Amino acid sequence: MTAPTRTVRPAVTEPRARFRDLLAAEWTKLWSLRSTSWTLLLSGLVIIGINVNGAVADYHNWPHYDADIRAIFVPIWAIRDAFAQVAGLVVMLAAGSVGAITITGEYGTGLIRTTFAAVPARRSLVAAKLIDVTAVMLGYGTVVAGASFWASQAILSGHHVGMSIGYPGAFEAMAASALLAPVSALIGMGLGAIIRHGAATMVITTAVLVLLPLCFTDHYRWTADIKHALPASAWGRLVDVGYGRFGFTVRHPTTTTEAWITLALWALAAAAVSIAVVDRRDV
């Protein structure tokens, strides 16, 4: 009697996730958080509103300005109306918060364990998060900076003191304001990867981006060097198109090249920290 034969089915192995699949998954996660869309929408309106309000105020006060103010209104006052310092602080806080939540949200809910079980390649996973957040925040920064510049200068043009994007330094200022958002978001992600607690990360991110520059002055070389090395100060240097001109002296000056390098180094360092910390630490 012939023994029955068994059909051995080949083992089915799941295909490895492609990087574009990780990008799509992290993109869905990012937008599944209601806080993401609401933070971007409300903060964007606030930022544009702050800048427009400054332009409207200067438009109405223009007849009362003396000759000295009118002589330096373009570019100093006009560019400040487009990229007010307070508006820059809101950009950093909003972007830093979104970046931090991208990391701390999963740790806080415990979803990070499921994520790592599905995708053991942690470095690829974090890289996908970084790319998605950078893309979203770059788009956000570009829209906010572009709208602020266009609206404020359109208002000021009523008195023929609006700046064009071709004015020396104007495009650089707008580009710096657009890039401030992704840089701040990456810093928030880096701190979130280290701290892993939402509230604590928000506090530390605010301290690094907003409060730390207030602790250093330009009176001494060493304090000026530290201040220049902070992202907020680098952004401030790039939007100050009248830097060191019109009779204003700077005790310890810095250059736009150094400011661009500062922003780039912060972004790269934050991304590297995010990948390294998540890859090496246990859940």
Side-chain angles (χ1 to χ4, degrees):
M1 183 174 180
T2 305
T5 59
R6 288 185 179 182
T7 302
V8 179
R9 295 181 180 179
V12 178
T13 58
E14 293 291 334
R16 294 185 61 184
R18 295 170 295 185
F19 189 71
R20 65 182 182 184
D21 296 327
L22 296 180
L23 289 173
E26 293 304 321
W27 182 271
T28 302
K29 282 185 191 177
L30 179 61
W31 289 109
S32 65
L33 297 171
R34 293 183 179 178
S35 58
T36 300
S37 55
W38 280 109
T39 298
L40 297 182
L41 176 61
L42 295 179
S43 65
L45 293 175
V46 168
I47 293 162
I48 296 171
I50 290 172
N51 293 322
V52 167
N53 181 67
V56 170
D58 279 334
Y59 176 85
H60 289 300
N61 293 330
W62 175 260
H64 308 292
Y65 288 154
D66 58 28
D68 291 337
I69 293 179
R70 293 190 179 199
I72 63 172
F73 192 91
V74 177
I76 294 179
W77 286 43
I79 202 69
R80 286 177 182 172
D81 285 341
F83 310 112
Q85 184 177 15
V86 175
L89 297 181
V90 178
V91 171
M92 290 187 286
L93 291 175
S97 298
V98 172
I101 274 187
T102 305
I103 291 286
T104 61
E106 289 198 68
Y107 279 103
T109 60
L111 180 62
I112 195 69
R113 294 183 177 86
T114 304
T115 301
F116 288 157
V119 185
R122 296 189 179 189
R123 284 178 290 183
S124 297
L125 179 69
V126 178
K129 285 182 181 287
L130 292 167
I131 292 173
D132 283 343
V133 170
T134 300
V136 170
M137 299 314 298
L138 180 59
Y140 164 80
T142 300
V143 170
V144 170
S148 294
F149 183 83
W150 175 82
S152 61
Q153 302 313 303
I155 293 169
L156 295 176
S157 65
H159 287 301
H160 306 288
V161 288
M163 295 173 62
S164 70
I165 195 64
Y167 189 94
F171 179 79
E172 192 172 39
M174 188 169 70
S177 297
L179 289 171
L180 181 63
V183 171
S184 300
L186 291 176
I187 292 172
M189 288 188 70
L191 292 172
I194 296 172
I195 301 170
R196 298 186 176 186
H197 186 277
T201 301
M202 299 294 184
V203 172
I204 300 301
T205 301
T206 300
V208 171
L209 293 174
V210 178
L211 301 180
L212 193 58
L214 302 178
C215 299
F216 301 95
T217 68
D218 296 325
H219 295 304
Y220 306 100
R221 166 57 70 181
W222 70 274
T223 57
D225 288 341
I226 295 175
K227 186 173 183 178
H228 294 328
L230 298 174
S233 300
W235 169 76
R237 171 65 182 90
L238 291 167
V239 299
D240 187 0
V241 298
Y243 187 83
R245 299 162 56 195
F246 307 102
F248 296 101
T249 59
V250 181
R251 183 172 298 181
H252 301 292
T254 184
T255 66
T256 56
T257 301
E258 292 170 338
W260 283 119
I261 292 174
T262 296
L263 291 179
L265 289 179
W266 273 94
L268 293 174
V273 166
S274 299
I275 294 174
V277 171
V278 174
D279 183 50
R280 296 187 179 185
R281 287 174 60 178
D282 293 333
V283 177

